[in-house]
């Protein structure tokens, strides 16, 4: 392939719209172009990498016995009414109307479609288990599309769905899928970890995410030396179980004057206590009800947990006026003591460690000290509500958790009968009885993977492609294309390598060496043969992009040396 006649539009400056290296580099090296927010074209070089990732994914799916299918993108919205997901998807579902005014959605994922197939066409236990997969564009109207193809509104996903007679059979496929995902990411040459995850709106019982480690990843991972790792979204905050906060001297609580001090920092600074000696009381409205949430002063509410605990995606913080109405005091002075009966008091389990606490007094400019739960106020129930953080203890080994970041490339779920029960998809067992299928689903972000690879493998000069997913195996760089011998050597080598199935790009542009070398670094092809002045002495240079190592090689040996370096 010749650069001069290819659509590989590179540019020097960082695009202002891009925040992280992979997004900048994908634009600069001509892998992708934006059509509109969250919608991208993969140009030839970008699409080559996508195809290589797809090939690896297909091979690993086929190797564990999955069957490839192709489902429609256009879905009648009735199927989401049937599964109950029309609401849970909410605004992320792209909707459109046909000419007869019927509503359709662009598929964000395919649980409903595949469950209908199983319902009609996998009736007997004898045909189970089965696992079907596809590679297809998905559509989600993400609230904040960003980072290029990492969080896009149209993106390529591999999604697989498995159907089983029981949980054991699901467990077996789930484990095989985990193995296949590990091999996919390893074959792509990336470092990763597997974390316990929140199931989000896909739902179900258990799920794991596959994170490609990268400093700019959107996901935060808490992990321990014992091998345990969890998505921070999902992690339960755990302190030393022997930790006791405050002390209960048996004395009644006292009121303290805290004029104008409405934040934890202000109050703890003023009282010269640690922020966690205070307990925050946060007032939320769900439907017609108000709930007071109690959490340690040094912790924050995790909205995902809050929505899960309340079952209300519209749950919201009370407005300042509503707070005054509910507690009698302005924002910053709420507390659990003396709240009206109808306000439910929900506490994070960390509150159990408090023998006494400092709380707002439900009175302007006042806090209460020495407040004892049970004695001075009631707790209606405990719910896991707060963000876990670095230094919290591992639930498995008890050691402090470390923090790292990653890009989620895969997510596997045990769905159980979530879809089969609501959509009445059953199989007939050996006794002739009907049961809902036990299901699993397994997503892998193909287009996101291309960006994740760059996020993990780049340097100041550009991309450093892992050999297995590079758009091209080798770049031949004739320095001066006006020198006939140089150009002929380049084209001969190109032909010989292409005949052997190697993907070769020749930079035959009549550009300055400076431009060509910069572009070569930027586009990150792992191996480069530079054909320049040394050709007179019968030598060319072999350059390794990852290590920047240069070898001088006699021109007659270069074919063999390259073939040896590029395993096929
Ligand atoms: P996220 O938490 O990042 O929004 P998700 O839980 O919505 O992900 P799944 O529904 O599990 O994602 O989708 C499976 C895989 O598809 C993800 O692991 C990810 O690799 C990819 N993916 C999901 N959303 C996007 C997106 N907006 N753009 C690109 N890839 C995506
Ligand atoms: Mg999502």
């Amino acid at each position: 392939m010749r650069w001069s006649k290819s659509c590989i539009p590179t540019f020097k400056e960082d695009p202002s719209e891009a925040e992280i290296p992979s997004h900048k580099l994908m634009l600069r090296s001509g892998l992708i172009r934006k059509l509109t927010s969250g919608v991208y074209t993969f140009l030839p070089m970008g699409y080559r990498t996508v195809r290589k990732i797809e090939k690896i994914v297909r091979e690993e799916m086929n190797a564990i016995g999955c069957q490839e299918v192709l489902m429609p993108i256009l879905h009648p919205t009735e199927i989401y009414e049937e599964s109950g997901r029309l609401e849970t998807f909410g605004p992320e579902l792209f909707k459109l109307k046909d000419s007869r005014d019927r509503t359709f959605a662009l598929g964000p994922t395919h649980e409903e479609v595949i469950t209908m197939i199983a319902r009609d066409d996998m009736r007997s236990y004898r045909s189970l288990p089965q696992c079907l997969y596809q590679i297809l564009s998905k559509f989600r109207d993400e609230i904040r599309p960003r980072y290029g193809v990492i969080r896009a509104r149209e993106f390529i996903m591999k999604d697989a769905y498995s159907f089983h007679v029981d949980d054991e059979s699901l467990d077996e496929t789930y484990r095989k899928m985990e193995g296949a995902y590990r091999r996919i990411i390893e074959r792509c040459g990336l470092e990763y970890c597997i974390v316990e995850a929140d199931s989000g709106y896909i739902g179900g019982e258990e799920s794991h995410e596959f994170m490609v480690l990268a400093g700019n990843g959107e996901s935060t991972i808490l992990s321990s030396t014992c091998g345990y790792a969890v998505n921070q979204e999902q992690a339960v905050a755990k302190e030393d179980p022997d930790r006791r906060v405050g002390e209960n001297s048996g004395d009644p609580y006292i009121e303290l004057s805290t004029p104008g001090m409405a934040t934890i920092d202000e109050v703890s600074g003023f009282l010269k206590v640690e922020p966690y000696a205070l307990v925050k009381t946060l007032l939320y409205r769900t439907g017609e009800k108000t709930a007071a949430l109690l959490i340690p002063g040094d912790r924050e509410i995790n909205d995902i947990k809050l929505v899960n605990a309340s079952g209300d995606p519209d749950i919201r913080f009370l407005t300042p006026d509503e707070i005054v109405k509910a507690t009698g005091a302005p924002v910053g002075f709420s507390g659990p003591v003396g709240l009206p009966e109808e306000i439910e008091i929900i506490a994070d389990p960390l509150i159990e460690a408090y023998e006494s606490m400092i709380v707002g007094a439900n009175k302007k400019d006042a806090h209460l000290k020495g407040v004892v739960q049970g004695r001075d106020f009631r707790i209606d129930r405990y719910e896991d509500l707060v963000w876990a953080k670095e230094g919290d203890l591992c639930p498995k080994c008890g050691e402090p958790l470390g923090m790292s970041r990653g890009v989620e490339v895969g997510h596997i779920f045990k769905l159980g009968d979530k879809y089969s029960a609501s959509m009445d998809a059953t199989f007939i067992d050996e006794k002739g009885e009907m049961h809902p299928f036990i299901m699993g689903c397994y997503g892998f972000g193909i287009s996101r993977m291309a960006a994740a690879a760059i996020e993990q493998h780049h340097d100041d000069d550009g991309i450093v492609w892992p050999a297995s997913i590079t758009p091209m195996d080798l770049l031949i760089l004739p320095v001066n294309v006006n020198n006939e011998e140089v150009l002929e050597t380049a084209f001969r080598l190109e032909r010989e390598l292409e005949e052997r199935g190697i993907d070769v790009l020749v930079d035959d542009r009549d550009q300055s060496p400076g431009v060509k070398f910069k572009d070569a670094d930027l586009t990150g092809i792992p191996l480069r043969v530079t054909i320049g002045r040394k050709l007179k002495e019968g030598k060319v240079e072999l350059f390794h992009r990852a290590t920047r190592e240069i070898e001088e090689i006699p021109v007659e040996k270069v074919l063999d040396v390259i073939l040896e370096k590029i395993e096929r």
Side-chain angles (χ1 to χ4, degrees):
M1 191 169 138
R2 310 266 163 98
W3 197 319
S4 66
K5 300 276 186 293
S6 300
C7 183
I8 313 173
T10 58
F11 55 90
K12 266 202 284 198
E13 302 303 323
D14 276 341
S16 58
E17 79 219 62
E19 297 163 70
I20 61 170
S22 61
H23 188 193
K24 290 177 190 168
L25 291 171
M26 288 184 94
L27 289 166
R28 284 186 54 206
S29 67
L31 301 180
I32 57 168
R33 283 295 177 265
K34 178 165 130 180
L35 176 63
T36 183
S37 168
V39 182
Y40 289 85
T41 298
F42 276 96
L43 292 177
M45 294 285 269
Y47 195 46
R48 280 177 164 270
T49 286
V50 166
R51 293 296 296 245
K52 288 194 177 172
I53 298 169
E54 285 182 359
K55 181 165 182 282
I56 292 172
V57 169
R58 274 202 177 87
E59 285 171 4
E60 294 299 339
M61 288 298 104
N62 296 343
I64 58 165
C66 299
Q67 314 158 65
E68 187 165 5
V69 294
L70 189 63
M71 289 182 257
I73 285 172
L74 202 56
H75 301 173
T77 42
E78 290 88 52
I79 67 175
Y80 294 98
E81 278 162 24
E82 216 182 303
S83 69
R85 272 213 295 186
L86 205 53
E87 259 138 55
T88 36
F89 264 123
E92 258 194 43
L93 197 66
F94 265 109
K95 291 199 208 76
L96 62 148
K97 295 230 167 173
D98 73 1
S99 57
R100 295 180 196 85
D101 213 31
R102 285 191 297 234
T103 317
F104 286 80
L106 300 177
T109 165
H110 281 67
E111 283 78 7
E112 284 80 1
V113 180
I114 198 85
T115 304
M116 290 170 74
I117 303 276
R119 176 167 75 186
D120 296 337
D121 296 300
M122 287 183 204
R123 301 307 314 267
S124 165
Y125 74 96
R126 284 197 200 92
S127 65
L128 300 176
Q130 287 202 43
C131 187
L132 305 175
Y133 80 96
Q134 64 176 348
I135 294 178
L136 184 72
S137 288
K138 298 279 192 252
F139 297 81
R140 295 181 184 177
D141 198 357
E142 296 277 353
I143 303 166
R144 258 191 90 197
R146 57 177 183 162
Y147 300 158
V149 296
I150 286 192
R151 184 161 300 282
R153 298 198 298 164
E154 174 175 346
F155 57 96
I156 309 167
M157 197 205 284
K158 182 284 303 177
D159 45 327
Y161 306 88
S162 66
F163 296 87
H164 308 268
V165 296
D166 56 25
D167 287 335
E168 281 94 79
S169 170
L170 169 62
D171 285 349
E172 197 179 314
T173 298
Y174 194 83
R175 273 197 306 278
K176 279 192 196 159
M177 197 59 79
E178 179 192 323
Y181 275 37
R182 283 180 182 276
R183 284 188 295 278
I184 291 168
I185 306 173
E186 281 159 19
R187 284 181 62 185
C188 289
L190 304 181
E191 278 184 56
Y192 68 101
C193 78
I194 302 181
V195 304
E196 290 182 8
D198 179 71
S199 297
Y201 54 55
I202 306 262
E205 295 145 15
E206 187 182 336
S207 85
H208 287 89
E209 287 167 341
F210 293 73
M211 300 284 186
V212 166
L213 300 174
N216 288 301
E218 276 187 300
S219 306
T220 306
I221 303 156
L222 293 172
S223 59
S224 159
T225 44
C226 72
Y228 173 81
V230 62
N231 190 324
Q232 192 190 16
E233 287 176 354
Q234 160 91 352
V236 177
K238 190 166 180 270
E239 304 262 10
D240 179 351
D242 296 331
R243 170 170 125 140
R244 289 274 149 257
V245 185
E247 60 183 87
N248 180 2
S249 60
D251 295 338
Y253 59 77
I254 52 170
E255 189 178 306
L256 305 168
S257 167
T258 49
M261 292 172 211
T263 67
I264 293 287
D265 284 348
E266 285 164 349
V267 181
S268 63
F270 177 65
L271 298 177
K272 300 199 171 45
V273 294
E274 293 293 336
Y276 66 75
L278 278 73
V279 166
K280 287 192 226 181
T281 305
L282 303 163
L283 294 151
Y284 280 83
R285 172 67 50 95
T286 159
E288 288 303 300
K289 286 202 218 128
T290 302
L293 310 182
L294 305 186
I295 63 169
D298 61 343
R299 298 274 176 175
E300 302 299 329
I301 291 277
N302 174 337
D303 289 340
I304 303 165
K305 291 183 176 180
L306 182 60
V307 168
N308 288 347
S310 65
D312 176 6
D314 299 323
I315 187 165
R316 62 169 180 83
F317 202 52
L318 291 195
T319 62
D321 285 349
E322 288 171 330
I323 290 177
V324 174
K325 223 182 260 166
T327 68
V331 181
F333 299 96
S334 305
V337 180
L339 281 181
E341 270 297 307
E342 64 273 14
I343 297 183
E344 189 181 22
I345 302 179
I346 305 169
D348 186 274
L350 290 175
I351 296 298
E352 284 183 86
Y354 284 75
E355 288 189 9
S356 78
M357 59 187 83
I358 300 166
V359 296
N362 294 327
K363 186 170 156 192
K364 188 170 184 311
D365 296 339
H367 280 77
L368 304 178
K369 187 179 173 192
V371 169
V372 176
Q373 51 187 308
R375 183 189 75 181
D376 301 325
F377 68 92
R378 76 196 136 81
I379 291 175
D380 295 313
R381 65 191 163 101
Y382 290 95
E383 291 283 358
D384 174 23
L385 294 170
V386 300
W387 282 103
K389 55 189 181 189
E390 189 168 19
D392 280 353
L393 302 186
C394 170
K396 294 264 153 70
C397 72
E399 291 298 311
L401 295 169
M403 196 149 124
S404 47
R405 300 189 76 85
V407 179
E408 176 204 322
V409 293
H411 199 169
I412 61 177
F413 301 78
K414 287 186 186 174
L415 294 172
D417 65 1
K418 177 173 154 54
Y419 292 88
S420 48
S422 61
M423 296 183 70
D424 200 20
T426 54
F427 67 93
I428 298 168
D429 73 7
E430 63 261 48
K431 294 190 210 110
E433 284 167 15
M434 300 210 299
H435 304 277
F437 292 101
I438 302 300
M439 290 172 57
C441 78
Y442 318 92
F444 193 91
I446 304 268
S447 43
R448 181 182 281 187
M449 182 72 168
I454 297 172
E455 206 48 61
Q456 195 178 84
H457 290 268
H458 68 270
D459 61 19
D460 291 344
D461 300 318
I463 302 170
V464 184
W465 281 114
S468 57
I469 57 172
T470 174
M472 287 288 174
D473 300 315
L474 180 85
L475 176 70
I476 301 176
L477 197 155
V479 179
N480 177 2
V481 293
N482 299 310
N483 178 324
E484 234 165 78
E485 197 196 346
V486 165
L487 201 60
E488 256 170 40
T489 310
F491 289 159
R492 190 180 64 240
L493 187 58
E494 176 196 30
R495 208 170 40 245
E496 286 168 342
L497 287 164
E498 279 182 348
E499 276 165 11
R500 287 163 176 83
I502 309 279
D503 295 330
V504 190
L505 179 66
V506 185
D507 189 354
D508 60 337
R509 296 174 302 169
D510 190 3
Q511 289 275 9
S512 74
V515 167
K516 288 168 64 151
F517 284 113
K518 275 224 156 11
D519 274 352
D521 281 347
L522 175 65
T523 47
I525 295 170
L527 280 177
R528 177 197 312 168
V529 175
T530 310
I531 307 176
R533 253 185 244 128
K534 293 240 172 75
L535 188 62
K536 278 204 223 95
E537 302 156 31
K539 284 187 184 145
V540 296
E541 276 178 5
L542 187 62
F543 175 84
H544 298 257
R545 177 65 182 86
T547 56
R548 306 202 77 87
E549 187 192 329
I550 299 172
E551 297 175 67
E552 264 187 17
I553 297 174
V555 70
E556 67 277 7
K557 287 216 179 121
V558 68
L559 181 67
D560 289 340
V561 173
I562 292 168
L563 288 174
E564 202 180 291
K565 304 232 179 226
I566 300 174
E567 311 153 25
R568 279 267 133 184

